[in-house]
Amino acid sequence: MTDWTGPDEPLDRRHLPPPGPQVGSPGGKGTVRVVDGSTYYKEYLEPIDDSSNLDELIAWRRALPDDARDWLDARCAWPLRRVHTFRRTTGFLMSPAPDEFWADMLGKRHTVELQHLVHATAAERLGLTLPNRPRRLRLVRDLAALLAFLDDHDMVYGDISEKNVLWTVWGPPRIYLIDCDNARPAGRPNPHAVTARNDNWRDPLLAPGDLPDVDSDRYALAVFYYRVFYGATVSVDQARGKVLLPDDAPRLPQLERLLAAGVGPRRPRPTADQWYEAIRNARRAAPAPVVRDPAAPISARRATGMLLALVALGIAMAVPLIVRGSRDSQATQAPPTSRPPATHSREQSLRAWAAGPVTVKVEHYYSSVNVDADNPWVRIYLRPSLTNRTGARLDVRNAYDNVVLVLDKEPEPQSKLAAVYRIPEAAGEKSLYSLGSSDCCNLGDTAVAWNGTFVEPGGTFSSSRPDENGLAFELPMVETAMKAQFSVAPGKLHVIGVGWLDVNGRMLGFAPVSDWNTPNSAEAFAEP
């Protein structure tokens, strides 16, 4: 395969092979075509005479240390080499997005774009499984890391939008930016840059015709957090001076303050570095999410005294208010909150789930303890397998978002971002609850989670160990009669089994604790 990106000098268009298949739809500046398996060519709609900005972007990347350049290439389709004809620039060469940023959508291979993450209903129609909130937060952190890297090198990206940000949670949650020829060194003009085409992402403090700058990138990062983490379907409402959060949004005060300042009417805005550090802190010690009946509609909370205090604080700080419980904002956290009505007894539901179209088995599990005098807790690691008896193939790239513990007592997970839902279709004396994976944990140097792509009807898939994202559940321990001892047995923790949810929140498979294999040691559990 030819290395088309080799030398520093521009490449004559006549030396490229005939244009290959078009990738995606034509954009506002050009069309992307395949050169070969490792190289794409973006051809401008009209050749340009001034290539100074493009040349500077290419030279900056080439001058980076090898490790920094590799890190950038894993997250950006950065221009690699300019292409020209008769001294006029016709486009540039770039790398395609890695395979993990592509998916089969209704029989067609397509990039997984930000629009597929923030418009949940459309994504589910395309067969995409959406990540839970902890993994969404890691996507925000990855974008913050990239923007901080660019900021450290005095670079402005300038075009964050629903089609220019790709994402994956296949392995470590990551983002990937395209249309990077819009970037430019901070403080220098780019005669061919475009302003944000979507008003929902454009910094309202930019005057008409102004090019994006460092602060407008920071504004877009705050909006990205708002749209991605909260699953918000509306834009930030600056006109009324408030930011609307879903009713069930976890309370993360530090991130809420950054959000308010990030979309507020003052500059400078919080930096990408500040966002990155705040997200790291939030993952370590986040306040508990609101647990509510997912069958109930979102309703506004009314707290007059608190609202008056917030109004006074908002006026003093000149930032938008953070308002919860608005019907104008909806969450897209997986699993969705709509569930069927309660029509079966608990025992009938458990039997139906166990006989469901997805057979779940727990091949290995292991419990570890953290005995703290004030807050003892236990972590349960699972390595399940599943057999697909449905009529369609299952997407298991995000399978850890579909595996839940089923408990007969409302859990208070140690991992405060873990999703908790009441299961209303299982009637009985005790309500049942589902607890999502804490998405936090490695077992030593080895993570335990899912890896793979799809399971065809009739196929069986077992969890294995990618580089990150352990499938673990964290719960408070239960004190025994001996007082000084604590139970780590799932049954004593009110865990009655593990289930598999589809994208609509229906339980399609269930394995009671009595069917789990004998617990393993940490060493045995970590084996393939």
Side-chain angles (χ1 to χ4, degrees):
M1 187 175 294
T2 303
D3 180 10
W4 297 103
T5 65
D8 289 344
E9 66 267 13
L11 177 69
D12 193 311
R13 174 68 179 83
R14 293 170 294 181
H15 294 161
L16 280 177
Q22 180 176 304
V23 180
S25 302
K29 292 177 63 177
T31 300
V32 176
R33 294 189 178 274
V34 175
V35 175
D36 58 32
S38 64
T39 309
Y40 284 174
Y41 168 51
K42 181 172 181 176
E43 187 166 49
Y44 292 140
L45 298 178
E46 295 290 338
I48 62 175
D49 295 316
D50 185 353
S51 63
S52 57
N53 187 77
L54 185 59
D55 288 339
E56 191 158 0
L57 296 180
I58 294 170
W60 170 73
R61 174 193 167 275
R62 287 179 181 269
L64 289 172
D66 290 348
D67 56 347
R69 184 167 57 250
D70 291 344
W71 190 89
L72 178 74
D73 289 346
R75 288 166 175 79
C76 284
W78 202 264
L80 304 177
R81 191 176 182 187
R82 181 164 63 88
V83 179
H84 71 101
T85 299
F86 303 115
R87 297 183 179 179
R88 301 192 74 198
T89 297
T90 60
F92 62 91
L93 301 181
M94 62 184 182
S95 297
D99 287 343
E100 56 264 33
F101 294 96
W102 296 79
D104 182 352
M105 300 184 191
L106 303 180
K108 294 183 179 180
R109 191 168 185 259
H110 199 285
T111 49
V112 184
E113 299 166 355
L114 176 56
Q115 63 174 326
H116 301 128
L117 186 58
V118 299
H119 302 293
T121 302
E124 289 168 7
R125 285 199 296 266
L126 294 172
L128 297 176
T129 301
L130 299 180
N132 60 12
R133 277 201 176 116
R135 298 179 71 74
R136 288 168 179 262
L137 196 58
R138 295 183 66 177
L139 290 171
V140 182
R141 186 179 69 177
D142 200 54
L143 178 60
L146 177 54
L147 293 180
F149 177 85
L150 295 177
D151 197 0
D152 287 345
H153 290 84
D154 293 322
M155 283 286 174
V156 176
Y157 172 65
D159 201 13
I160 291 174
S161 66
E162 293 185 10
K163 290 192 175 182
N164 284 352
V165 182
L166 313 185
W167 60 276
T168 182
V169 287
W170 185 6
R174 285 193 296 129
I175 56 91
Y176 190 88
L177 298 181
I178 62 175
D179 276 2
C180 294
D181 54 318
N182 276 323
R184 62 187 176 89
R188 299 188 194 176
N190 177 358
H192 304 289
V194 297
T195 58
R197 292 177 286 273
N198 188 327
D199 287 341
N200 289 340
W201 298 91
R202 177 177 167 79
D203 184 352
L205 297 185
L206 287 177
D210 281 356
L211 291 178
D213 57 18
V214 171
D215 258 317
S216 63
D217 272 355
R218 295 170 181 173
Y219 172 84
L221 174 60
V223 176
F224 182 89
Y225 166 74
Y226 176 62
R227 299 292 303 278
V228 169
F229 180 67
Y230 294 113
T233 58
V234 295
S235 60
V236 175
D237 186 354
Q238 283 197 324
R240 291 188 291 171
K242 60 183 178 181
V243 179
L244 309 175
L245 300 187
D247 187 61
D248 64 342
R251 288 167 171 78
L252 302 170
Q254 186 177 7
L255 290 173
E256 289 177 9
R257 287 193 293 270
L258 288 179
L259 174 60
V263 299
R266 289 185 177 178
R267 290 184 166 201
R269 294 195 167 98
T271 67
D273 268 330
Q274 288 175 299
W275 276 100
Y276 183 86
E277 290 302 321
I279 292 170
R280 288 183 61 187
N281 294 336
R283 286 179 56 79
R284 292 183 185 129
V290 177
V291 179
R292 67 176 180 87
D293 182 346
I298 295 175
S299 60
R301 293 192 186 93
R302 301 184 183 277
T304 305
M306 182 177 295
L307 182 58
L308 290 175
L310 283 173
V311 169
L313 181 62
I315 293 172
M317 298 180 64
V319 298
L321 296 178
I322 299 295
V323 181
R324 297 177 180 275
S326 171
R327 294 180 181 272
D328 296 334
S329 182
Q330 299 176 356
T332 56
Q333 177 183 2
T337 57
S338 60
R339 295 183 184 272
T343 56
H344 301 291
S345 70
R346 191 176 76 167
E347 290 71 22
Q348 288 173 324
S349 294
L350 295 178
R351 287 196 298 269
W353 297 342
V358 174
T359 301
V360 180
K361 290 183 63 178
V362 176
E363 307 289 355
H364 302 280
Y365 80 94
Y366 172 71
S367 299
S368 66
V369 299
N370 177 45
V371 180
D372 182 285
D374 298 321
N375 187 26
W377 51 272
V378 61
R379 182 178 294 158
I380 301 175
Y381 299 90
L382 293 179
R383 284 181 58 191
S385 68
L386 65 92
T387 300
N388 179 14
R389 306 189 189 281
T390 70
R393 65 180 182 173
L394 295 178
D395 184 345
V396 297
R397 288 174 298 177
N398 305 317
Y400 30 75
D401 290 336
N402 298 74
V403 177
V404 295
L405 289 187
V406 179
L407 304 94
D408 62 7
K409 181 180 179 181
E410 183 176 318
E412 297 179 1
Q414 180 72 17
S415 176
K416 300 303 184 181
L417 290 177
V420 177
Y421 292 93
R422 188 172 70 82
I423 307 176
E425 68 266 32
E429 290 185 4
K430 289 186 176 181
S431 295
L432 294 183
Y433 298 85
S434 68
L435 172 66
S437 169
S438 62
D439 186 40
C440 68
C441 317
N442 289 350
L443 187 64
D445 295 328
T446 305
V448 184
W450 295 79
N451 189 20
T453 53
F454 299 96
V455 181
E456 301 296 335
T460 297
F461 183 79
S462 296
S463 57
S464 59
R465 303 169 302 153
D467 293 336
E468 283 191 62
N469 315 321
L471 177 57
F473 304 85
E474 295 178 339
L475 294 162
M477 285 190 289
V478 176
E479 191 173 3
T480 67
M482 295 180 65
K483 302 295 183 184
Q485 302 295 322
F486 293 91
S487 174
V488 297
K492 294 290 182 64
L493 297 167
H494 298 274
V495 176
I496 61 176
V498 61
W500 171 270
L501 297 175
D502 72 358
V503 295
N504 295 313
R506 294 187 299 268
M507 196 78 72
L508 298 185
F510 178 73
V513 169
S514 58
D515 290 349
W516 295 7
N517 283 346
T518 303
N520 320 104
S521 66
E523 294 75 17
F525 182 85
E527 293 174 357

